[in-house]
Amino acid sequence: MKITVQENGPYLVTGDVPLVRKAQVVTEFGEPVAWEKEGDIPAVPPYELCRCGHSSDKPFCDYTHASIGFDGTERAPRDTSAQRRVRHPGDGALIVHRDYAVCCESGYCGTRLANLQSMLAAAAPDDTNLRSQIIAMIERCPSGSYTYTIAGRESDIEPDLPAQIAVTTEITSEGPIAGPLWVTGGIEVERADGQPMETRQRVTLCRCGLSKSKPLCDGAHRAQHAAE
């Protein structure tokens, strides 16, 4: 299974990579709290997924990028997540790291009352309920910007997610909008120059064409919809 970024073009998906639709589940206050699978998308490999945001056959590429002069220059960081991430303060039993460079601002790390950092700072050593809430929020983060481990372990604990690409829908106060491509299960992503990106369990890829950190999503699609 592999995703290859084409220069100023689409994502070329090779291998038997399932393609599905997933949508955010939100509370009555608009807070994202879960993901819901809406169905499978028939796709025979190899297939190409739109990266410019202008295809008339989304999520598939229809080569509109060639006629609009799409600039798909990749500016995502080339170092590793472990080199970039910072550790959030806590009681030391639950260790939480944040890699800001891969964040797509999906909103799973906070509610109208608190955010993950404040919850972590308030968690007492015996408060297993609050810790469970923090872990659940981290595991729903699609980009893997947040990760966690338990004291005494050397590696992060990742959610057990299938090897697939999800075409996501986000729920906003104005209604549903198209979210990023959510790649899970440790699928290899190769840059247009032939160099591999760091393989991670969770990756969000831009499909609106506006991200300043291509091929990663940086949440620019929300600003686009807010301006419309």
Side-chain angles (χ1 to χ4, degrees), residues 49-121:
L49 298 176
C50 176
R51 191 159 73 97
C52 72
H54 293 276
S55 172
S56 297
D57 190 30
K58 295 186 186 74
F60 300 104
C61 171
D62 68 355
Y63 292 88
T64 297
H65 60 272
S67 61
I68 64 173
F70 171 60
D71 180 2
T73 303
E74 298 159 62
R75 296 186 173 88
R78 292 177 177 265
D79 53 355
T80 66
S81 185
Q83 292 172 310
R84 298 186 301 265
R85 68 186 188 179
V86 297
R87 177 171 170 172
H88 284 319
D91 63 17
L94 177 64
I95 301 168
V96 174
H97 290 103
R98 179 82 184 274
D99 179 359
Y100 288 91
V102 301
C103 177
C104 68
E105 301 182 1
S106 61
Y108 285 87
C109 55
T111 70
R112 72 193 189 285
L113 301 176
N115 61 35
L116 194 148
Q117 291 186 48
S118 64
M119 293 168 66
L120 183 65

Side-chain angles (χ1 to χ4, degrees), residues 1-197:
M1 295 183 180
K2 184 177 181 181
I3 300 170
T4 304
V5 181
Q6 305 293 289
E7 185 175 6
N8 298 323
Y11 300 107
L12 173 64
V13 183
T14 53
D16 191 13
V17 183
L19 188 63
V20 304
R21 292 191 187 278
K22 286 188 176 181
Q24 285 184 334
V25 177
V26 302
T27 68
E28 65 270 32
F29 303 105
E31 304 159 334
V33 292
W35 291 96
E36 180 180 22
K37 181 179 175 181
E38 295 186 320
D40 299 317
I41 302 176
V44 178
Y47 56 88
E48 294 177 317
L49 298 176
C50 176
R51 191 159 73 97
C52 72
H54 293 276
S55 172
S56 297
D57 190 30
K58 295 186 186 74
F60 300 104
C61 171
D62 68 355
Y63 292 88
T64 297
H65 60 272
S67 61
I68 64 173
F70 171 60
D71 180 2
T73 303
E74 298 159 62
R75 296 186 173 88
R78 292 177 177 265
D79 53 355
T80 66
S81 185
Q83 292 172 310
R84 298 186 301 265
R85 68 186 188 179
V86 297
R87 177 171 170 172
H88 284 319
D91 63 17
L94 177 64
I95 301 168
V96 174
H97 290 103
R98 179 82 184 274
D99 179 359
Y100 288 91
V102 301
C103 177
C104 68
E105 301 182 1
S106 61
Y108 285 87
C109 55
T111 70
R112 72 193 189 285
L113 301 176
N115 61 35
L116 194 148
Q117 291 186 48
S118 64
M119 293 168 66
L120 183 65
D126 60 348
D127 194 342
T128 55
N129 182 55
L130 187 53
R131 283 187 188 169
S132 295
Q133 292 180 47
I134 293 170
I135 289 172
M137 294 168 79
I138 292 172
E139 291 190 339
R140 290 166 187 149
C141 169
S143 69
S145 174
Y146 272 108
T147 54
Y148 76 95
T149 190
I150 304 297
R153 290 178 57 101
E154 294 184 0
S155 59
D156 289 332
I157 301 170
E158 282 285 342
D160 184 16
L161 297 170
Q164 66 180 20
I165 301 173
V167 179
T168 65
T169 298
E170 297 177 345
I171 309 301
T172 72
S173 57
E174 288 77 33
I177 64 171
L181 295 173
W182 184 17
V183 181
T184 58
I187 297 173
E188 178 184 356
V189 180
E190 183 180 283
R191 300 174 186 271
D193 63 5
Q195 296 301 308
M197 295 184 67

